[in-house]
Amino acid sequence: MATPPLSALKPARRSRFSLRWHTWLLLVAVVAYGVAFAMHWDARAALWVKEQFKSPAERQASIWLPDYRAVIDAKPLPGMEKDEASDVSYDPQTKTLFSVMGKNPFLVELNLQGDVLRKMPLVGWSNPEGVTVLGDGRLAIVDEREHLIVIVKVDADTRELNIADFPKYDLGPSKDQNKAFEGVTWDPRNQQLVLGEERPPALFTWSGDGKVLTGDKLKLASHALDMRNLSALAIDPRTGHMLVLSADSHLLLELDKKGEQVSFIALLRGFNGLKNTIPRAEGVTMDEAGTLYMVSEPNLFYRFEKQR
């Protein structure tokens, strides 16, 4: 039965109908505000407005994520449906990608099209969540559950890695031990690792020469990390700008050398060439040409290229 217009209702019924209607509107508004607050859409809107005032020269000097489009969209990594892709890093020497699987620990080498070249079991690791290429065959792997960084050596003949064979560094306690260090990237210009805590999102640096780490990690001011969690980090080798990935916020954010927000993309259906929302983006990296690579749980591979 169609709902009668308010004018046809008796005053008491009209009052109750109006009250219910306004209650529903208020409930919808509260839920919408809660979602927007949790997803930091207000911050995204503010950054989008700032993006519109960037000059062509400023855009040219940055990564400028709005110009990127997915050219490989949700390509499955075969046989890894239950392994949970956790991070990915580009190796400029081999022109390949290295990715870690968190649930069943192993390191996988991929070509730039997302094809599997080899799988290397990680013996002794508990929950590898971050990986970055240091150079000369060395990689740093973060074990989130054990709060460790391990620097490993990989060559063309490597078929397995045992944690007992490599130097390990204690990351220390986190505010939330179950949501601890997850992101890691090598900053060659400053000769340091940049580490990311998952929740609450925070950044740290740790000096080194690509072979060993020295001193201790130092916390960075990270006021620009208005996201629900931090999943992965990467450094653009051309500009030195940092990419910060958030699976929970479906967001990839660009920060400049001062840690200020520059640009972003939403990893949602219909944006930047994506046919569907990236389920859980856990890893990101960039090559010297500016091509972006991303992995998502459970076993999906993405490649983004700049279109302008």
Side-chain angles (χ1 to χ4, degrees):
M1 179 183 295
T3 302
L6 287 177
S7 58
L9 299 175
K10 293 181 179 180
R13 289 184 62 194
R14 187 161 63 240
S15 177
R16 288 195 299 271
F17 181 90
S18 179
L19 180 61
R20 287 197 300 269
W21 178 246
H22 283 91
T23 300
W24 274 107
L25 283 177
L26 179 61
L27 179 61
V28 169
V30 168
V31 170
Y33 176 80
V35 171
F37 180 82
M39 297 294 288
H40 297 272
W41 287 346
D42 53 340
R44 299 289 78 75
L47 179 53
W48 182 85
V49 171
K50 288 174 62 178
E51 284 182 344
Q52 309 315 303
F53 292 94
K54 295 287 185 181
S55 69
E58 289 175 309
R59 298 185 184 198
Q60 187 66 31
S62 70
I63 300 170
W64 202 249
L65 292 171
D67 287 349
Y68 279 79
R69 295 294 180 272
V71 295
I72 298 179
D73 187 357
K75 178 178 180 176
L77 301 175
M80 302 183 197
E81 296 82 359
K82 298 180 180 180
D83 297 318
E84 294 185 356
S86 294
D87 199 6
V88 65
S89 186
Y90 172 72
D91 189 332
Q93 291 180 304
T94 61
K95 309 296 183 186
T96 60
L97 303 165
F98 287 93
S99 181
V100 286
M101 302 292 141
K103 188 172 183 180
N104 299 305
F106 63 87
L107 180 70
V108 58
E109 186 175 11
L110 309 169
N111 66 19
L112 303 186
Q113 302 301 316
D115 300 314
V116 177
L117 302 177
R118 57 174 166 164
K119 295 169 62 175
M120 294 159 276
L122 294 173
V123 179
W125 273 266
S126 178
N127 184 222
E129 287 288 336
V131 64
T132 189
V133 171
L134 303 173
D136 193 30
R138 290 181 175 83
L139 292 81
I141 299 175
V142 170
D143 191 311
E144 183 180 25
R145 188 171 298 145
E146 301 299 327
H147 308 279
L148 292 175
I149 300 177
V150 186
I151 296 181
V152 305
K153 178 83 175 195
V154 177
D155 59 30
D157 298 323
T158 302
R159 293 294 176 266
E160 180 180 281
L161 296 165
N162 191 311
I163 197 169
D165 297 333
F166 304 104
K168 294 171 280 294
Y169 299 85
D170 187 359
L171 287 166
S174 297
K175 185 173 182 179
D176 185 342
Q177 292 291 86
N178 295 318
K179 299 293 182 181
F181 288 93
E182 183 160 336
V184 62
T185 189
W186 175 242
D187 180 358
R189 298 187 186 194
N190 296 304
Q191 290 289 287
Q192 63 185 12
L193 282 176
V194 183
L195 296 153
E197 250 183 335
E198 182 181 2
R199 188 177 291 127
L203 295 175
F204 297 77
T205 60
W206 201 332
S207 297
D209 61 2
K211 298 178 183 178
V212 297
L213 300 178
T214 57
D216 201 353
K217 67 183 190 298
L218 301 173
K219 189 170 184 178
L220 293 177
S222 45
H223 59 276
L225 298 180
D226 46 5
M227 51 181 57
R228 294 181 65 194
N229 81 318
L230 188 155
S231 301
L233 300 169
I235 296 287
D236 175 15
R238 307 161 305 159
T239 64
H241 287 193
M242 187 184 301
L243 294 166
V244 186
L245 182 65
S246 173
D248 289 351
S249 295
H250 298 290
L251 171 72
L252 181 63
L253 182 65
E254 176 189 1
L255 304 181
D256 64 18
K257 296 176 185 178
K258 297 179 181 179
E260 300 294 333
Q261 298 180 4
V262 178
S263 69
F264 77 100
I265 53 174
L267 307 176
L268 302 172
R269 177 180 180 178
F271 288 85
N272 297 82
L274 291 170
K275 294 180 181 178
N276 292 291
T277 296
I278 297 181
R280 186 162 187 83
E282 291 287 340
V284 66
T285 192
M286 178 174 274
D287 66 22
E288 65 273 354
T291 302
L292 269 170
Y293 307 90
M294 207 174 293
V295 292
S296 169
E297 291 182 4
N299 65 327
L300 301 177
F301 175 83
Y302 299 80
R303 173 173 166 148
F304 293 80
E305 295 179 1
K306 201 166 187 176
Q307 301 298 302
R308 300 179 189 176

